[in-house]
Coordinates of all heavy atoms in Angstrom, one line a residue:
M6 N -14.5 -9.6 30.8 CA -14.2 -9.6 29.4 C -13.1 -10.4 29.0 O -13.1 -11.1 28.0 CB -14.0 -8.1 28.9 CG -14.0 -7.9 27.5 SD -15.7 -8.1 26.9 CE -15.5 -7.6 25.3
K7 N -12.0 -10.4 29.8 CA -10.8 -11.2 29.5 C -11.1 -12.7 29.6 O -10.6 -13.5 28.9 CB -9.7 -10.8 30.5 CG -8.4 -11.5 30.2 CD -7.3 -11.0 31.2 CE -6.0 -11.7 30.9 NZ -5.0 -11.3 31.8
K8 N -12.0 -13.0 30.6 CA -12.4 -14.4 30.8 C -13.1 -14.9 29.6 O -12.9 -16.1 29.2 CB -13.2 -14.6 32.0 CG -12.5 -14.4 33.3 CD -13.4 -14.5 34.5 CE -12.6 -14.3 35.8 NZ -13.5 -14.4 37.0
I9 N -13.9 -14.1 28.9 CA -14.7 -14.5 27.7 C -13.7 -14.8 26.6 O -13.8 -15.9 25.9 CB -15.7 -13.4 27.3 CG1 -16.8 -13.3 28.4 CG2 -16.3 -13.8 26.0 CD1 -17.7 -12.1 28.2
F10 N -12.7 -14.0 26.4 CA -11.7 -14.2 25.3 C -10.9 -15.5 25.6 O -10.6 -16.2 24.7 CB -10.8 -13.0 25.2 CG -11.4 -11.8 24.5 CD1 -11.4 -10.6 25.1 CD2 -12.1 -11.9 23.3 CE1 -12.0 -9.5 24.6 CE2 -12.7 -10.8 22.7 CZ -12.6 -9.6 23.3
V11 N -10.6 -15.7 26.9 CA -9.8 -16.9 27.2 C -10.6 -18.1 27.0 O -10.1 -19.1 26.5 CB -9.3 -16.8 28.7 CG1 -8.7 -18.1 29.2 CG2 -8.3 -15.7 28.9
R12 N -11.9 -18.1 27.3 CA -12.8 -19.3 27.1 C -13.0 -19.5 25.6 O -12.9 -20.7 25.2 CB -14.1 -19.0 27.8 CG -14.1 -19.1 29.3 CD -15.4 -18.9 29.9 NE -16.2 -20.1 29.7 CZ -17.5 -20.2 30.0 NH1 -18.1 -19.2 30.4 NH2 -18.1 -21.3 29.8
I13 N -13.1 -18.5 24.8 CA -13.3 -18.6 23.4 C -12.0 -19.2 22.8 O -12.0 -20.1 22.0 CB -13.6 -17.3 22.7 CG1 -15.0 -16.9 23.1 CG2 -13.5 -17.4 21.2 CD1 -15.4 -15.5 22.6
K14 N -10.8 -18.7 23.3 CA -9.5 -19.2 22.8 C -9.4 -20.7 23.1 O -9.0 -21.5 22.3 CB -8.4 -18.4 23.4 CG -7.0 -18.8 22.9 CD -6.0 -18.1 23.6 CE -5.2 -19.0 24.3 NZ -4.5 -19.3 25.3
D15 N -9.7 -21.1 24.4 CA -9.6 -22.4 24.8 C -10.5 -23.4 24.0 O -10.1 -24.5 23.6 CB -9.8 -22.6 26.3 CG -8.7 -21.9 27.1 OD1 -7.6 -21.7 26.6 OD2 -9.0 -21.6 28.3
L16 N -11.7 -22.9 23.8 CA -12.7 -23.7 23.1 C -12.3 -23.9 21.6 O -12.3 -25.1 21.1 CB -14.1 -23.0 23.1 CG -15.2 -23.8 22.4 CD1 -15.5 -25.1 23.1 CD2 -16.5 -22.9 22.4
T17 N -11.8 -22.9 21.0 CA -11.3 -23.0 19.6 C -10.1 -23.9 19.6 O -9.9 -24.7 18.7 CB -10.9 -21.6 19.1 OG1 -12.0 -20.7 19.3 CG2 -10.4 -21.6 17.7
E18 N -9.2 -23.8 20.5 CA -8.0 -24.6 20.6 C -8.4 -26.1 20.7 O -7.8 -27.0 20.0 CB -7.1 -24.2 21.7 CG -5.8 -25.0 21.8 CD -4.9 -24.5 22.9 OE1 -5.1 -23.4 23.5 OE2 -4.0 -25.3 23.3
M19 N -9.3 -26.4 21.6 CA -9.8 -27.8 21.8 C -10.4 -28.3 20.5 O -10.2 -29.5 20.1 CB -10.8 -27.9 22.9 CG -10.1 -27.7 24.3 SD -11.1 -28.0 25.8 CE -12.7 -27.8 25.3
K20 N -11.2 -27.5 19.8 CA -11.9 -28.0 18.6 C -10.8 -28.2 17.5 O -10.9 -29.3 16.8 CB -12.9 -26.9 18.1 CG -14.0 -26.7 18.9 CD -15.0 -27.8 18.8 CE -16.3 -27.5 19.6 NZ -17.3 -28.5 19.5
L21 N -9.8 -27.3 17.4 CA -8.8 -27.6 16.4 C -7.9 -28.8 16.7 O -7.6 -29.6 15.8 CB -7.9 -26.3 16.3 CG -8.5 -25.1 15.5 CD1 -7.6 -23.9 15.6 CD2 -8.7 -25.5 14.0
R22 N -7.6 -29.0 18.0 CA -6.9 -30.2 18.3 C -7.7 -31.4 18.0 O -7.1 -32.5 17.6 CB -6.5 -30.1 19.8 CG -5.4 -29.2 20.1 CD -5.0 -29.3 21.6 NE -4.0 -28.3 21.9 CZ -2.7 -28.4 21.8 NH1 -2.2 -29.6 21.4 NH2 -1.9 -27.5 22.2
G23 N -9.0 -31.4 18.3 CA -9.8 -32.5 17.9 C -9.9 -32.9 16.5 O -9.8 -34.0 16.1
V24 N -9.9 -31.8 15.6 CA -9.9 -32.0 14.2 C -8.6 -32.5 13.7 O -8.5 -33.5 12.9 CB -10.3 -30.7 13.5 CG1 -10.0 -30.8 12.0 CG2 -11.7 -30.3 13.8
C25 N -7.5 -31.9 14.2 CA -6.2 -32.3 13.8 C -5.7 -33.7 14.3 O -4.9 -34.4 13.7 CB -5.1 -31.3 14.2 SG -5.3 -29.7 13.4
A26 N -6.3 -34.1 15.5 CA -5.9 -35.4 16.1 C -6.4 -36.5 15.2 O -5.8 -37.6 15.1 CB -6.5 -35.5 17.5
G27 N -7.5 -36.3 14.4 CA -7.9 -37.4 13.5 C -7.2 -37.5 12.2 O -7.4 -38.4 11.5
L28 N -6.3 -36.5 12.0 CA -5.6 -36.6 10.7 C -4.2 -37.3 10.9 O -3.6 -37.3 11.9 CB -5.3 -35.1 10.2 CG -6.4 -34.3 9.9 CD1 -5.9 -32.9 9.5 CD2 -7.2 -34.8 8.7
S29 N -3.9 -38.0 9.8 CA -2.6 -38.6 9.8 C -1.5 -37.6 9.6 O -1.8 -36.5 9.1 CB -2.5 -39.7 8.7 OG -2.6 -39.0 7.4
P30 N -0.2 -37.9 9.9 CA 0.8 -36.9 9.7 C 1.0 -36.3 8.3 O 1.2 -35.2 8.1 CB 2.1 -37.6 10.2 CG 1.6 -38.7 11.1 CD 0.3 -39.0 10.6
E31 N 0.7 -37.2 7.3 CA 0.8 -36.8 5.9 C -0.3 -35.8 5.6 O -0.1 -34.8 4.9 CB 0.7 -38.0 5.0 CG 1.9 -38.9 5.0 CD 1.7 -40.0 6.1 OE1 0.6 -40.2 6.6 OE2 2.7 -40.5 6.5
K32 N -1.5 -36.0 6.1 CA -2.6 -35.1 5.8 C -2.4 -33.8 6.6 O -2.9 -32.8 6.1 CB -3.9 -35.8 6.3 CG -4.3 -36.9 5.3 CD -5.7 -37.5 5.7 CE -6.1 -38.6 4.8 NZ -7.4 -39.2 5.1
R33 N -1.8 -33.9 7.8 CA -1.5 -32.6 8.5 C -0.6 -31.7 7.7 O -0.8 -30.5 7.6 CB -0.9 -32.9 9.8 CG -1.8 -33.4 10.9 CD -1.2 -33.5 12.2 NE -1.9 -34.5 13.0 CZ -1.5 -35.0 14.1 NH1 -0.3 -34.7 14.5 NH2 -2.3 -35.8 14.8
V34 N 0.5 -32.3 7.1 CA 1.4 -31.6 6.3 C 0.7 -31.0 5.1 O 0.9 -29.8 4.7 CB 2.6 -32.5 5.9 CG1 3.5 -31.7 4.8 CG2 3.4 -32.9 7.1
I35 N -0.1 -31.8 4.4 CA -0.9 -31.3 3.3 C -1.8 -30.1 3.7 O -1.9 -29.1 3.0 CB -1.7 -32.4 2.6 CG1 -0.7 -33.4 2.0 CG2 -2.7 -31.9 1.6 CD1 -1.4 -34.7 1.5
A36 N -2.5 -30.2 4.8 CA -3.4 -29.2 5.3 C -2.6 -27.9 5.6 O -3.0 -26.8 5.2 CB -4.1 -29.6 6.5
I37 N -1.4 -28.0 6.2 CA -0.6 -26.8 6.5 C -0.1 -26.2 5.2 O -0.2 -25.0 5.1 CB 0.6 -27.2 7.4 CG1 0.1 -27.6 8.8 CG2 1.6 -26.1 7.5 CD1 1.1 -28.2 9.7
I38 N 0.3 -27.0 4.2 CA 0.8 -26.4 3.0 C -0.4 -25.7 2.2 O -0.2 -24.6 1.7 CB 1.4 -27.5 2.1 CG1 2.7 -28.0 2.7 CG2 1.6 -27.0 0.7 CD1 3.4 -29.2 2.1
V39 N -1.6 -26.3 2.2 CA -2.7 -25.7 1.5 C -3.1 -24.4 2.2 O -3.3 -23.4 1.5 CB -3.9 -26.7 1.5 CG1 -5.2 -26.0 1.1 CG2 -3.6 -27.9 0.6
L40 N -3.1 -24.4 3.5 CA -3.5 -23.1 4.2 C -2.4 -22.1 4.0 O -2.7 -20.9 3.8 CB -3.6 -23.4 5.7 CG -4.9 -24.2 6.1 CD1 -4.9 -24.5 7.6 CD2 -6.1 -23.5 5.7
A41 N -1.1 -22.4 4.0 CA -0.1 -21.5 3.7 C -0.2 -20.9 2.3 O 0.0 -19.7 2.1 CB 1.3 -22.1 4.0
V42 N -0.5 -21.7 1.4 CA -0.6 -21.3 0.0 C -1.8 -20.3 -0.2 O -1.7 -19.3 -0.8 CB -0.7 -22.5 -1.0 CG1 -1.2 -22.0 -2.4 CG2 0.6 -23.2 -1.1
L43 N -2.9 -20.7 0.5 CA -4.1 -19.8 0.4 C -3.8 -18.5 1.1 O -4.2 -17.4 0.6 CB -5.3 -20.5 1.1 CG -5.9 -21.7 0.4 CD1 -7.0 -22.3 1.2 CD2 -6.5 -21.2 -0.9
F44 N -3.1 -18.5 2.2 CA -2.8 -17.2 2.9 C -1.8 -16.4 2.0 O -2.0 -15.2 1.9 CB -2.1 -17.5 4.2 CG -1.6 -16.3 4.9 CD1 -2.4 -15.4 5.5 CD2 -0.2 -16.0 4.9 CE1 -1.9 -14.3 6.1 CE2 0.3 -14.9 5.5 CZ -0.6 -14.0 6.1
A45 N -0.8 -17.0 1.4 CA 0.1 -16.3 0.5 C -0.6 -15.7 -0.7 O -0.4 -14.6 -1.1 CB 1.2 -17.3 0.0
L46 N -1.6 -16.5 -1.3 CA -2.3 -16.0 -2.4 C -3.2 -14.8 -2.0 O -3.2 -13.7 -2.7 CB -3.2 -17.0 -3.0 CG -2.5 -18.1 -3.8 CD1 -3.4 -19.2 -4.2 CD2 -1.7 -17.6 -5.0
G47 N -3.8 -14.9 -0.9 CA -4.6 -13.7 -0.4 C -3.7 -12.5 -0.1 O -4.1 -11.4 -0.4
N48 N -2.6 -12.8 0.5 CA -1.6 -11.7 0.8 C -1.1 -11.0 -0.5 O -1.1 -9.8 -0.6 CB -0.5 -12.3 1.6 CG 0.4 -11.2 2.1 OD1 0.1 -10.0 2.2 ND2 1.6 -11.6 2.5
F49 N -0.7 -11.8 -1.5 CA -0.2 -11.2 -2.7 C -1.3 -10.5 -3.5 O -1.1 -9.4 -4.1 CB 0.4 -12.3 -3.6 CG 1.7 -12.8 -3.2 CD1 2.0 -14.1 -3.1 CD2 2.7 -11.9 -2.8 CE1 3.2 -14.6 -2.7 CE2 3.9 -12.4 -2.3 CZ 4.2 -13.7 -2.3
Y50 N -2.6 -11.0 -3.4 CA -3.7 -10.3 -4.1 C -3.9 -8.9 -3.5 O -4.0 -7.9 -4.2 CB -5.0 -11.1 -4.0 CG -6.2 -10.4 -4.4 CD1 -6.4 -10.2 -5.8 CD2 -7.1 -9.8 -3.5 CE1 -7.5 -9.5 -6.2 CE2 -8.2 -9.1 -4.0 CZ -8.4 -9.0 -5.3 OH -9.5 -8.2 -5.8
M51 N -3.9 -8.9 -2.2 CA -4.1 -7.6 -1.5 C -3.0 -6.6 -1.8 O -3.2 -5.4 -2.0 CB -4.3 -7.8 0.0 CG -5.6 -8.4 0.3 SD -6.0 -8.8 2.1 CE -4.8 -8.0 3.0
I52 N -1.7 -7.1 -1.8 CA -0.6 -6.2 -2.1 C -0.7 -5.6 -3.5 O -0.5 -4.4 -3.7 CB 0.7 -6.9 -1.8 CG1 0.9 -7.2 -0.3 CG2 1.9 -6.2 -2.4 CD1 2.1 -8.1 0.0
F53 N -0.8 -6.5 -4.5 CA -0.8 -6.1 -5.8 C -2.1 -5.3 -6.2 O -2.0 -4.4 -7.0 CB -0.7 -7.3 -6.8 CG 0.7 -7.9 -6.7 CD1 0.9 -9.3 -6.4 CD2 1.8 -7.2 -6.9 CE1 2.1 -9.9 -6.3 CE2 3.1 -7.7 -6.8 CZ 3.2 -9.1 -6.5
R54 N -3.2 -5.6 -5.6 CA -4.4 -4.8 -5.8 C -4.2 -3.3 -5.3 O -4.6 -2.4 -5.9 CB -5.6 -5.4 -5.1 CG -6.9 -4.7 -5.3 CD -7.2 -4.8 -6.8 NE -8.4 -4.0 -7.0 CZ -9.1 -4.0 -8.1 NH1 -8.8 -4.9 -9.0 NH2 -10.1 -3.2 -8.3
A55 N -3.5 -3.2 -4.1 CA -3.2 -1.9 -3.6 C -2.3 -1.1 -4.5 O -2.5 0.1 -4.7 CB -2.7 -2.0 -2.1
I56 N -1.2 -1.8 -5.0 CA -0.3 -1.1 -5.9 C -1.0 -0.7 -7.2 O -0.8 0.4 -7.7 CB 0.9 -2.1 -6.2 CG1 1.7 -2.3 -4.9 CG2 1.8 -1.5 -7.3 CD1 2.8 -3.3 -5.0
Y57 N -1.9 -1.6 -7.7 CA -2.6 -1.3 -8.9 C -3.5 -0.1 -8.7 O -3.6 0.8 -9.5 CB -3.4 -2.5 -9.3 CG -4.3 -2.2 -10.5 CD1 -3.8 -2.1 -11.8 CD2 -5.7 -2.1 -10.3 CE1 -4.7 -1.8 -12.9 CE2 -6.5 -1.9 -11.4 CZ -6.0 -1.7 -12.7 OH -6.8 -1.5 -13.7
D58 N -4.2 0.0 -7.5 CA -5.1 1.1 -7.3 C -4.4 2.4 -7.1 O -5.0 3.5 -7.2 CB -5.9 0.8 -6.0 CG -7.0 -0.2 -6.3 OD1 -7.3 -0.4 -7.5 OD2 -7.6 -0.8 -5.4
I59 N -3.1 2.4 -6.7 CA -2.4 3.7 -6.5 C -2.4 4.5 -7.8 O -2.6 5.7 -7.8 CB -1.0 3.4 -6.1 CG1 -1.0 2.9 -4.6 CG2 -0.1 4.7 -6.1 CD1 0.4 2.5 -4.1
G60 N -2.2 3.8 -9.0 CA -2.0 4.6 -10.2 C -3.3 4.7 -11.0 O -3.3 5.4 -12.0
R61 N -4.4 4.2 -10.5 CA -5.7 4.3 -11.3 C -6.2 5.7 -11.2 O -6.1 6.4 -10.2 CB -6.7 3.3 -10.7 CG -6.3 1.9 -11.1 CD -7.3 0.9 -10.7 NE -8.7 1.3 -11.1 CZ -9.8 0.8 -10.6 NH1 -9.7 -0.2 -9.7 NH2 -10.9 1.2 -11.0
E62 N -6.8 6.1 -12.3 CA -7.4 7.4 -12.4 C -8.6 7.6 -11.5 O -8.8 8.6 -10.8 CB -7.8 7.7 -13.8 CG -8.2 9.2 -14.1 CD -7.0 10.1 -13.9 OE1 -5.9 9.8 -14.2 OE2 -7.3 11.3 -13.5
D63 N -9.5 6.6 -11.4 CA -10.7 6.7 -10.6 C -10.4 6.5 -9.1 O -11.3 6.8 -8.3 CB -11.8 5.8 -11.1 CG -11.3 4.3 -11.1 OD1 -10.1 4.1 -10.9 OD2 -12.2 3.5 -11.2
A64 N -9.2 6.0 -8.8 CA -8.9 5.8 -7.4 C -8.3 7.1 -6.8 O -8.1 7.1 -5.6 CB -7.9 4.6 -7.2
R65 N -7.9 8.0 -7.6 CA -7.3 9.2 -7.1 C -8.4 10.1 -6.3 O -9.5 10.2 -6.8 CB -6.7 10.1 -8.2 CG -5.5 9.4 -8.8 CD -4.9 10.3 -9.8 NE -3.8 9.6 -10.5 CZ -3.2 10.0 -11.6 NH1 -3.6 11.1 -12.1 NH2 -2.2 9.3 -12.1
R66 N -7.9 10.7 -5.3 CA -8.8 11.5 -4.5 C -8.5 13.0 -4.8 O -7.4 13.3 -5.1 CB -8.7 11.2 -3.0 CG -9.1 9.8 -2.7 CD -9.5 9.6 -1.3 NE -10.2 8.4 -1.0 CZ -9.7 7.2 -0.9 NH1 -8.4 7.1 -0.9 NH2 -10.5 6.2 -0.6
E67 N -9.5 13.8 -4.6 CA -9.3 15.2 -4.8 C -8.5 15.8 -3.7 O -8.7 15.5 -2.5 CB -10.7 15.9 -4.8 CG -10.6 17.3 -5.2 CD -12.0 18.0 -5.2 OE1 -13.0 17.3 -5.6 OE2 -12.1 19.1 -4.8
V68 N -7.5 16.5 -4.1 CA -6.6 17.1 -3.2 C -7.2 18.5 -2.7 O -7.5 19.3 -3.5 CB -5.2 17.4 -3.8 CG1 -4.3 18.1 -2.8 CG2 -4.6 16.0 -4.2
I69 N -7.3 18.6 -1.4 CA -7.8 19.9 -0.9 C -6.7 20.9 -0.8 O -5.7 20.6 -0.1 CB -8.5 19.6 0.5 CG1 -9.6 18.6 0.3 CG2 -9.0 20.9 1.1 CD1 -10.2 18.1 1.7
E70 N -6.9 22.0 -1.4 CA -5.9 23.1 -1.3 C -6.2 24.0 -0.1 O -7.3 24.5 0.0 CB -5.8 23.9 -2.6 CG -5.3 23.1 -3.8 CD -5.1 23.9 -5.0 OE1 -4.9 25.1 -4.8 OE2 -5.2 23.4 -6.1
I71 N -5.2 24.2 0.7 CA -5.3 25.1 1.8 C -4.5 26.3 1.6 O -3.3 26.2 1.4 CB -4.8 24.3 3.1 CG1 -5.7 23.1 3.3 CG2 -4.9 25.3 4.3 CD1 -5.2 22.2 4.5
A72 N -5.1 27.4 1.6 CA -4.4 28.7 1.4 C -3.5 29.0 2.6 O -3.9 28.7 3.8 CB -5.4 29.8 1.2
P73 N -2.4 29.6 2.4 CA -1.5 29.9 3.5 C -2.2 30.9 4.4 O -2.9 31.8 4.0 CB -0.3 30.5 2.9 CG -0.6 30.7 1.4 CD -1.8 30.0 1.1
L74 N -1.9 30.8 5.7 CA -2.5 31.6 6.7 C -1.8 33.0 6.7 O -0.6 33.1 6.6 CB -2.4 31.0 8.1 CG -3.2 29.7 8.3 CD1 -2.9 29.2 9.7 CD2 -4.7 30.0 8.1
D75 N -2.6 34.0 6.8 CA -2.0 35.4 7.0 C -2.2 35.8 8.4 O -3.3 36.1 8.9 CB -2.8 36.3 6.1 CG -2.2 37.7 6.1 OD1 -1.0 37.8 6.4 OD2 -2.9 38.7 5.9
I76 N -1.1 35.7 9.2 CA -1.1 35.9 10.6 C -0.9 37.4 10.8 O 0.2 37.9 10.5 CB -0.1 35.1 11.4 CG1 -0.4 33.6 11.1 CG2 -0.1 35.4 12.8 CD1 0.6 32.7 11.6
P77 N -1.9 38.1 11.4 CA -1.6 39.5 11.6 C -0.7 39.8 12.8 O -0.6 38.9 13.7 CB -3.0 40.1 11.9 CG -3.8 38.9 12.4 CD -3.2 37.7 11.7
D78 N 0.0 40.9 12.7 CA 1.0 41.2 13.7 C 0.2 42.1 14.8 O 0.1 43.3 14.6 CB 2.1 42.0 13.1 CG 3.3 42.2 14.1 OD1 3.3 41.4 15.1 OD2 4.1 43.1 13.9
F79 N -0.3 41.4 15.8 CA -1.0 42.1 16.8 C -0.2 43.0 17.7 O -0.6 44.1 18.1 CB -1.8 41.1 17.7 CG -2.9 40.5 17.0 CD1 -2.9 39.1 16.7 CD2 -4.0 41.2 16.6 CE1 -3.9 38.5 16.0 CE2 -5.1 40.6 15.9 CZ -5.0 39.2 15.6
V80 N 1.0 42.5 18.1 CA 1.9 43.3 19.0 C 3.1 43.6 18.2 O 3.9 42.8 17.9 CB 2.2 42.4 20.2 CG1 3.1 43.2 21.2 CG2 1.0 42.0 20.9
P81 N 3.3 44.9 18.0 CA 4.6 45.3 17.3 C 5.8 45.0 18.2 O 5.7 45.0 19.4 CB 4.4 46.8 17.1 CG 3.0 47.1 17.3 CD 2.4 46.0 18.1
A82 N 6.9 44.8 17.6 CA 8.1 44.4 18.3 C 8.6 45.5 19.2 O 9.3 45.3 20.2 CB 9.2 44.0 17.3
D83 N 8.3 46.8 18.9 CA 8.9 47.9 19.7 C 7.9 48.4 20.8 O 8.0 49.6 21.1 CB 9.4 49.0 18.8 CG 8.2 49.5 17.9 OD1 7.2 48.9 17.9 OD2 8.4 50.6 17.3
T84 N 7.0 47.6 21.3 CA 6.1 48.1 22.3 C 6.7 48.2 23.7 O 6.1 48.9 24.5 CB 4.8 47.3 22.3 OG1 5.1 46.0 22.5 CG2 4.1 47.5 21.0
L85 N 7.7 47.4 23.9 CA 8.3 47.4 25.3 C 9.3 48.6 25.4 O 10.0 48.9 24.5 CB 9.1 46.1 25.5 CG 8.2 44.8 25.6 CD1 9.1 43.6 25.7 CD2 7.3 44.8 26.7
S86 N 9.2 49.1 26.6 CA 10.1 50.3 26.8 C 11.5 49.7 27.1 O 11.6 48.6 27.5 CB 9.6 51.1 28.0 OG 9.6 50.3 29.2
D87 N 12.5 50.6 27.0 CA 13.8 50.2 27.2 C 14.0 49.7 28.7 O 14.8 48.8 29.0 CB 14.8 51.3 26.9 CG 14.9 51.6 25.4 OD1 14.6 50.6 24.7 OD2 15.3 52.7 25.0
R88 N 13.3 50.4 29.6 CA 13.4 50.1 31.0 C 12.9 48.6 31.2 O 13.5 47.8 32.0 CB 12.6 51.1 31.8 CG 12.7 50.8 33.3 CD 11.9 51.9 34.1 NE 10.4 51.8 33.8 CZ 9.6 51.0 34.4 NH1 10.0 50.2 35.4 NH2 8.3 51.1 34.1
K89 N 11.8 48.3 30.6 CA 11.2 46.9 30.7 C 12.1 45.9 30.2 O 12.3 44.8 30.7 CB 9.9 46.9 30.0 CG 9.0 45.8 30.5 CD 8.6 46.0 31.9 CE 7.3 45.5 32.2 NZ 7.0 45.4 33.7
V90 N 12.8 46.2 29.0 CA 13.7 45.3 28.4 C 14.9 45.0 29.3 O 15.3 43.9 29.5 CB 14.2 45.8 27.0 CG1 15.3 45.0 26.5 CG2 13.0 45.8 26.1
R91 N 15.4 46.1 30.0 CA 16.6 45.9 30.9 C 16.1 45.1 32.1 O 16.9 44.3 32.6 CB 17.1 47.3 31.4 CG 18.1 47.9 30.4 CD 18.7 49.1 31.0 NE 17.8 50.1 30.3 CZ 17.2 51.2 30.9 NH1 17.5 51.6 32.0 NH2 16.4 52.0 30.3
E92 N 14.9 45.3 32.6 CA 14.5 44.6 33.8 C 14.4 43.1 33.4 O 14.8 42.2 34.2 CB 13.1 45.1 34.2 CG 13.1 46.4 34.9 CD 11.7 46.9 35.3 OE1 10.7 46.1 35.0 OE2 11.6 48.0 35.8
M93 N 13.9 42.8 32.2 CA 13.8 41.4 31.8 C 15.2 40.8 31.6 O 15.4 39.6 32.0 CB 13.0 41.3 30.5 CG 11.5 41.6 30.7 SD 10.6 41.7 29.2 CE 10.8 40.1 28.5
E94 N 16.1 41.5 31.1 CA 17.5 41.0 30.9 C 18.1 40.7 32.2 O 18.8 39.7 32.4 CB 18.3 42.0 30.1 CG 17.9 42.1 28.6 CD 18.7 43.1 27.8 OE1 19.4 43.9 28.5 OE2 18.6 43.1 26.6
E95 N 17.9 41.7 33.2 CA 18.5 41.4 34.5 C 17.9 40.2 35.2 O 18.6 39.5 35.8 CB 18.3 42.7 35.4 CG 19.1 43.9 34.9 CD 18.8 45.2 35.7 OE1 17.9 45.1 36.6 OE2 19.3 46.2 35.4
F96 N 16.6 40.1 35.0 CA 15.9 38.9 35.6 C 16.5 37.6 35.1 O 16.8 36.7 35.8 CB 14.4 39.0 35.4 CG 13.6 37.9 35.9 CD1 13.4 37.7 37.2 CD2 13.2 36.9 35.0 CE1 12.7 36.6 37.7 CE2 12.5 35.8 35.5 CZ 12.2 35.6 36.8
F97 N 16.6 37.5 33.8 CA 17.1 36.3 33.2 C 18.6 36.1 33.3 O 19.1 35.0 33.4 CB 16.7 36.2 31.7 CG 15.2 35.9 31.5 CD1 14.4 36.9 31.0 CD2 14.7 34.7 31.9 CE1 13.1 36.7 30.8 CE2 13.3 34.5 31.7 CZ 12.5 35.5 31.2
N98 N 19.3 37.2 33.5 CA 20.8 37.1 33.7 C 21.1 36.5 35.1 O 22.2 35.9 35.2 CB 21.5 38.4 33.4 CG 21.6 38.7 32.0 OD1 21.6 37.8 31.1 ND2 21.7 40.0 31.6
Q99 N 20.2 36.7 36.0 CA 20.5 36.2 37.4 C 20.6 34.7 37.4 O 21.2 34.1 38.2 CB 19.5 36.7 38.4 CG 18.2 36.1 38.3 CD 17.2 36.7 39.3 OE1 17.5 37.6 40.0 NE2 16.0 36.2 39.2
F100 N 19.9 34.0 36.4 CA 19.9 32.6 36.4 C 21.2 32.1 35.7 O 21.6 30.9 35.8 CB 18.7 32.0 35.6 CG 17.4 32.3 36.3 CD1 16.5 33.3 35.8 CD2 17.1 31.8 37.5 CE1 15.3 33.6 36.4 CE2 15.9 32.0 38.2 CZ 15.0 32.9 37.6
N101 N 21.8 32.9 34.9 CA 23.1 32.5 34.2 C 24.3 32.6 35.1 O 25.4 32.1 34.7 CB 23.3 33.4 33.0 CG 22.2 33.1 31.9 OD1 21.6 32.0 31.9 ND2 22.0 34.1 31.1
K102 N 24.2 33.2 36.2 CA 25.3 33.4 37.1 C 25.6 32.2 37.9 O 24.8 31.4 38.2 CB 25.1 34.6 38.0 CG 25.1 35.9 37.3 CD 24.9 37.1 38.2 CE 24.9 38.3 37.4 NZ 24.6 39.5 38.1

């Protein structure tokens, strides 16, 4: 797959070099300026069109409202016995020493 892209790139490069080799330096500068202006115009059109579409009424999308989740309390906090809590504290305290 990589070889195909390399061959396409090389072929395109050779074709462009062939086209540009026939141009005089003045025509090359004109071609570059024309292409840069066309690119800039396309770029500005896309930017300003996106900014314009932000505020349009028909471009607004419906906002989906999500109700807050009600998470049930499956395990009450006081289900552990005091003995189990002490065992757990002793277990974790041994790592702090």
Side-chain angles (χ1 to χ4, degrees):
M6 190 71 170
K7 184 177 180 182
K8 290 180 182 180
I9 294 172
F10 287 126
V11 171
R12 290 181 74 192
I13 291 172
K14 183 185 116 211
D15 290 340
L16 183 63
T17 306
E18 183 179 345
M19 287 187 340
K20 294 282 186 184
L21 284 173
R22 284 185 187 271
V24 169
C25 292
L28 296 176
S29 66
E31 293 84 19
K32 288 184 180 180
R33 284 185 202 167
V34 170
I35 292 172
I37 291 171
I38 292 172
V39 167
L40 290 174
V42 167
L43 289 175
F44 175 75
L46 289 174
N48 188 19
F49 287 133
Y50 172 77
M51 289 179 12
I52 289 171
F53 291 125
R54 183 67 190 194
I56 292 171
Y57 174 74
D58 284 343
I59 289 173
R61 289 185 49 195
E62 189 67 32
D63 57 349
R65 291 185 185 165
R66 295 202 164 83
E67 185 177 324
V68 177
I69 300 171
E70 292 187 26
I71 300 174
L74 295 175
D75 184 27
I76 301 173
D78 190 19
F79 290 111
V80 180
D83 58 349
T84 57
L85 293 175
S86 65
D87 290 335
R88 183 177 62 85
K89 200 62 147 171
V90 171
R91 271 184 271 139
E92 288 176 3
M93 290 172 61
E94 286 176 351
E95 289 173 5
F96 176 76
F97 287 111
N98 283 336
Q99 74 182 358
F100 296 111
N101 292 335
K102 292 180 183 178

